[in-house]
């Protein structure tokens, strides 16, 4: 039986966190290419470019698809109340083990303190969750309090908005089932934002990464 992408991802996260050998996990897009999924970057300390996102989190922050909780932990250390949510229990377990507050849940299911968050983070490739960027942005926006903002990481300009199917492939030959994902380029985010009732408040690039702050239109 095929295992889910999340199961293969969870296993790789545990190996990375234990400092053990990684399984050479790759993500293949239906559009063709397969790229190495280096989960160890989510398991370590802050990454170059994280600072700009963190500095824009002024109030209670919800990190959507928090992975092992690097950003949640950093926010808490600065006195910013923060909670991570992630669908993968191994990610949440690692986040908690590192002292971050996190719960296992889907962003599309009931989320703790919905409607009270001042900021929501969609870091790294989390804006691709669900494969339908307007639907994700609308959902995350609904979790914010009035005047709240979304801080999103995006792809470099030029790639547009691309909906794909993806699957994970392990070196052992194990392959997950396909799941929907999406890519949103920095210069294309206004489209899905507008479809979700949002506007681009700010855009910046730092350390070769691209970001935007979205707020209610
Ligand atoms: C690229 S990883 C995020 C890494 C993390 N944001 C960081 O920067 O370290 C994407 C995360 O989204 C999570 N995810 C996927 N679908 C989700 C959903 N429906 N709700 C919440 N989290 C989800 C995955 O389990 C994964 O940990």
């Amino acid at each position: 039986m095929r295992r889910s992408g999340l199961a293969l991802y969870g296993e790789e996260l545990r190996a990375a966190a234990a400092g053990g050998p990684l399984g050479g996990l790759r993500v293949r897009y239906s559009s063709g290419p397969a790229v190495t999924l280096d989960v160890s970057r989510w398991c370590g300390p802050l990454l170059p470019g994280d600072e700009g996102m963190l500095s824009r989190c002024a109030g209670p922050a919800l990190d959507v698809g928090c992975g092992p909780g690097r950003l949640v932990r950093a926010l808490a250390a600065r006195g910013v109340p923060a909670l991570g949510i992630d669908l993968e229990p191994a990610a949440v377990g690692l986040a908690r083990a590192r002292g971050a507050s996190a719960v296992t849940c889907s962003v599309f299911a009931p989320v703790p303190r919905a409607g009270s968050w001042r900021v929501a983070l969609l870091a790294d490739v989390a804006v691709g969750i669900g494969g339908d960027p307007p639907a994700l942005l609308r959902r995350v926006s609904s979790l914010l309090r009035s005047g709240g903002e979304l801080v999103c990481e995006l792809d470099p300009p030029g790639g547009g908005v691309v909906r794909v199917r993806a699957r994970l492939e392990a070196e052992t030959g194990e392959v997950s089932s396909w799941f929907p994902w999406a890519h949103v380029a920095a210069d294309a985010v206004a489209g899905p934002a507008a479809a979700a009732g949002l506007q681009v408040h700010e855009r910046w690039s730092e350390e070769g990464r691209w970001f935007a702050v979205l707020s209610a239109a």
Side-chain angles (χ1 to χ4, degrees):
M1 192 182 76
R2 285 231 161 129
R3 289 202 296 156
S4 71
L6 275 180
L8 290 176
Y9 163 66
E11 215 164 75
E12 187 80 346
L13 275 183
R14 284 190 208 94
L22 297 184
L25 201 59
R26 301 196 312 162
V27 56
R28 178 175 299 280
Y29 297 109
S30 47
S31 48
V35 293
T36 300
L37 193 65
D38 179 13
V39 304
S40 60
R41 74 177 191 275
W42 300 320
C43 298
L46 288 180
L47 297 172
D50 281 347
E51 187 52 45
M53 282 190 293
L54 294 172
S55 68
R56 286 164 175 86
C57 293
L62 180 71
D63 185 359
V64 175
C66 66
R70 172 183 94 255
L71 298 170
V72 177
R73 186 173 64 165
L75 286 170
R78 293 166 188 218
V80 178
L83 176 72
I85 59 169
D86 201 289
L87 196 52
E88 169 49 45
V92 170
L94 289 172
R96 288 183 174 166
R98 300 166 88 194
S101 178
V103 294
T104 303
C105 74
S106 169
V107 65
F108 298 110
V111 166
R113 304 194 283 290
S116 75
W117 299 101
R118 167 77 184 79
V119 181
L121 276 170
L122 285 167
D124 204 284
V125 294
V127 76
I129 288 172
D132 181 346
L136 176 67
L137 295 178
R138 200 175 307 115
R139 170 61 181 153
V140 174
S141 168
S142 78
L143 302 174
L144 299 174
R145 70 189 191 200
S146 172
E149 293 179 328
L150 280 82
V151 177
C152 307
E153 183 162 2
L154 302 161
D155 277 10
V161 178
V162 185
R163 296 180 185 201
V164 292
R165 290 189 316 136
R167 72 180 189 190
L168 298 186
E169 300 176 353
E171 249 172 12
T172 55
E174 246 186 319
V175 170
S176 80
S177 40
W178 293 98
F179 54 91
W181 203 260
H183 300 287
V184 180
D187 57 346
V189 69
L198 300 167
Q199 63 185 352
V200 180
H201 177 68
E202 187 188 359
R203 218 182 317 236
W204 78 100
S205 176
E206 186 177 348
E207 300 284 350
R209 296 165 66 189
W210 293 83
F211 307 91
V213 174
L214 311 180
S215 55

